[in-house]
């Protein structure tokens, strides 16, 4: 299945992300080559790493479409990356989330974390190969993943 992204949304998201990096021209060049770009974490957003089994545990089918639908049903609409390894989901959350986040087996990185960059795939990449956006990149701060909704997602259980 093809997962289109609106050109307007993609442009707005690319512009928003580029304004969060020290060297926007390098990020643009990386994306033009189909590679990821390092985007600074902690000032405009934090990043939350959720192990794939925690996100997918309630799903019978764990393909890309089922996971996207599951995230959307939890109320998440933007800002979720699937890294090349597929071991985690990387969620862009509001800045400061890392200070209060205490969910076991997850990690939230923000300001002051030694590795303060996240590798963002090209804003138009919605499918593998490589890292991709399972939910579209944010085009503004209001599009970041709500930590309360993420807590709800992690609390879901599979019906017997």
């Amino acid at each position: 299945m093809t997962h289109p992204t609106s050109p307007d949304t993609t442009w707005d998201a690319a512009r928003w992300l580029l304004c969060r990096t020290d060297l926007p021209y390098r990020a643009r060049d990386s994306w033009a080559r189909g590679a990821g770009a390092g985007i600074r974490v902690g000032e405009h957003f934090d990043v939350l790493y959720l192990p794939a089994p925690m996100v997918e545990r309630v799903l019978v089918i764990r393909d890309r479409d089922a996971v996207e639908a599951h995230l959307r049903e939890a109320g998440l609409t933007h800002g979720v990356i699937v890294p090349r390894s597929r071991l985690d989901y990387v969620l862009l959350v509001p800045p400061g989330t890392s200070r209060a986040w205490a969910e076991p087996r997850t990690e939230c990185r923000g300001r002051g974390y030694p590795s303060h960059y996240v590798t963002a795939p090209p804003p138009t990449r919605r499918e593998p190969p490589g890292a991709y956006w399972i939910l579209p990149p944010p085009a503004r701060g209001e599009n970041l993943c709500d930590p309360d909704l993420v807590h709800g997602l992690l609390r879901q259980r599979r019906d017997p």
Side-chain angles (χ1 to χ4, degrees):
M1 172 182 239
T2 302
H3 301 276
T5 301
S6 161
D8 292 338
T9 302
T10 302
W11 170 247
D12 291 343
R15 187 174 47 215
W16 190 83
L17 288 168
L18 287 171
C19 289
R20 271 94 195 126
T21 186
D22 298 329
L23 302 168
Y25 66 92
R26 282 195 183 163
R28 236 184 358 257
D29 290 348
S30 293
W31 289 339
R33 292 189 321 275
I39 307 292
R40 190 170 0 125
V41 170
E43 185 175 340
H44 300 284
F45 60 86
D46 288 356
V47 289
L48 178 57
Y49 294 84
L50 302 180
M54 288 180 75
V55 173
E56 299 169 355
R57 70 177 162 222
V58 300
L59 300 175
V60 175
I61 298 173
R62 292 182 170 101
D63 67 7
R64 188 224 176 279
D65 292 333
V67 173
E68 179 181 358
H70 178 54
L71 294 169
R72 289 185 183 282
E73 286 168 8
L76 303 174
T77 59
H78 290 80
V80 180
I81 299 169
V82 178
R84 181 180 302 276
S85 71
R86 313 276 189 274
L87 298 175
D88 296 292
Y89 290 91
V90 180
L91 287 69
L92 279 56
V93 294
T97 301
S98 62
R99 290 191 300 268
W101 189 262
E103 190 71 38
R105 300 186 340 227
T106 67
E107 183 177 12
C108 193
R109 299 178 185 173
R111 186 177 296 244
Y113 194 85
S115 173
H116 57 282
Y117 286 85
V118 65
T119 301
T124 55
R125 182 167 298 143
R126 295 291 316 276
E127 297 179 339
Y132 63 95
W133 295 92
I134 194 162
L135 294 179
R140 57 188 178 277
E142 296 79 30
N143 293 145
L144 297 171
C145 296
D146 181 327
D148 291 334
L149 295 176
V150 177
H151 279 292
L153 173 78
L154 296 176
R155 302 267 180 289
Q156 291 179 354
R157 300 283 184 239
R158 185 183 297 181
D159 293 331

